[in-house]
Amino acid sequence: MEFTATDLKGYFKVVIDMIEEQKDYLCELDRKIGDGDHGVTMSIGWQAVNDILDDDLKDEDDCGKISMKVGKTFLNAVGSSVGPLYATGLMRGAKTVKKKTILNDQDLVNYWLAFTQGVKERGQAKKGDKTMMDTFEPFAETLKPKFDETHEFVPSFDHALNFAKNGMESTKELVSQKGRSSRLGERSVGFQDPGATSAYLILVTFLNYAKSNSAQVS
Ligand code: ADP
Ligand code: MG
């Protein structure tokens, strides 16, 4: 697969639209175990990204600079706990695609592995804590071996997404150990984690976008 800087900007644009569509749903999830703002915080961050894509990044063709600027913009715009988490993911991913205008399958795997590792290191949450890491960790753990075996990005990402989805859904049964919802203790059981949900949506949006918008190179 060939994924260009234009594709990367196009992907972020699709995320912006997706977050607007899912804003109420993400807030509703956060109302059950948090303060009800997850959809709003994500929307604020991605709308700031929208402005930067149309302005500073309009002619940028370095995937590293694009993802770095998107991460920094998100960080500056968002006050809640997801600000530094997603921003670190975007900035760590950026480092793996520095000075690249066209990304191949290996670059895309490196990007997403660094992204999820960045979130993990920043938040210090692990699988089972009822956070976005319940989506990202099973995703990363299955993406790498599948790609090492097949060397094909789309089927490997697709495969890893099944594990990400199971991880997201598993948060319903978990007691929160991190972030605002951990204050609820046992009362957090029965509700899906909003951050695990937005993390899954961001990943699934990437797969759908990569499948439909980038040039397939055999
Ligand atoms: P806040 O909790 O500040 O209101 P949001 O509502 O925007 O922020 O985001 C809440 C989400 O952040 C949670 O659902 C959880 O997935 C994620 N989260 C919180 N703390 C951590 C952490 N330490 N590591 C990973 N994810 C976290
Ligand atoms: Mg919240």
Side-chain angles (χ1 to χ4, degrees):
M1 168 184 293
E2 221 170 63
F3 195 87
T4 67
T6 305
D7 290 329
L8 184 61
K9 287 187 269 186
Y11 164 62
F12 289 136
K13 282 277 185 187
V14 177
V15 170
I16 292 157
D17 291 343
M18 177 277 286
I19 291 295
E20 287 312 296
E21 279 164 27
Q22 302 292 335
K23 188 169 156 179
D24 291 346
Y25 172 56
L26 294 172
C27 283
E28 192 186 309
L29 291 175
D30 198 29
R31 269 197 292 277
K32 305 271 173 50
I33 56 169
D35 56 356
D37 67 348
H38 188 57
V40 172
T41 55
M42 290 294 278
S43 171
I44 290 170
W46 286 103
Q47 285 304 319
V49 170
N50 197 27
D51 294 342
I52 218 79
L53 286 171
D54 293 336
D55 187 7
D56 290 26
L57 295 177
K58 203 160 173 281
D59 301 315
E60 184 57 65
D61 65 358
D62 176 338
C63 290
K65 282 192 184 154
I66 294 166
S67 192
M68 188 60 76
K69 185 81 184 170
V70 167
K72 284 184 180 165
T73 303
F74 192 86
L75 180 65
N76 290 336
V78 178
S80 74
S81 43
V82 289
L85 293 167
Y86 280 126
T88 305
L90 289 157
M91 295 192 285
R92 287 290 186 85
K95 288 188 181 158
T96 68
V97 294
K98 215 168 151 182
K99 296 202 170 92
K100 289 191 180 182
T101 297
I102 300 174
L103 308 181
N104 63 22
D105 285 26
Q106 183 71 63
D107 295 326
L108 291 173
V109 169
N110 292 346
Y111 179 87
W112 284 107
L113 291 178
F115 186 111
T116 55
Q117 185 63 26
V119 176
K120 184 179 176 168
E121 285 173 21
R122 180 78 215 191
Q124 296 292 311
K126 55 186 187 316
K127 204 161 49 180
D129 285 348
K130 200 178 178 104
T131 72
M132 60 179 69
M133 285 319 297
D134 286 297
T135 300
F136 283 142
E137 209 160 278
F139 167 78
E141 279 170 4
T142 46
L143 175 65
K144 187 172 168 15
K146 192 73 178 172
F147 183 74
D148 288 346
E149 179 196 325
T150 64
H151 303 289
E152 283 188 89
F153 177 74
V154 168
S156 305
F157 199 95
D158 206 351
H159 172 79
L161 262 187
N162 294 322
F163 292 85
K165 186 165 190 274
N166 287 342
M168 168 186 76
E169 288 169 351
S170 78
T171 61
K172 279 180 208 156
E173 319 306 327
L174 295 170
V175 177
S176 173
Q177 310 289 345
K178 281 265 189 254
R180 198 181 292 275
S181 57
S182 63
R183 299 176 201 164
L184 292 179
E186 292 286 337
R187 282 183 292 134
S188 63
V189 175
F191 306 104
Q192 188 167 301
D193 180 64
T197 309
S198 62
Y200 177 71
L201 291 171
I202 282 169
L203 294 176
V204 85
T205 299
F206 190 78
L207 181 71
N208 292 335
Y209 182 82
K211 274 181 177 169
S212 61
N213 283 61
S214 58
Q216 300 287 330
V217 177
S218 59

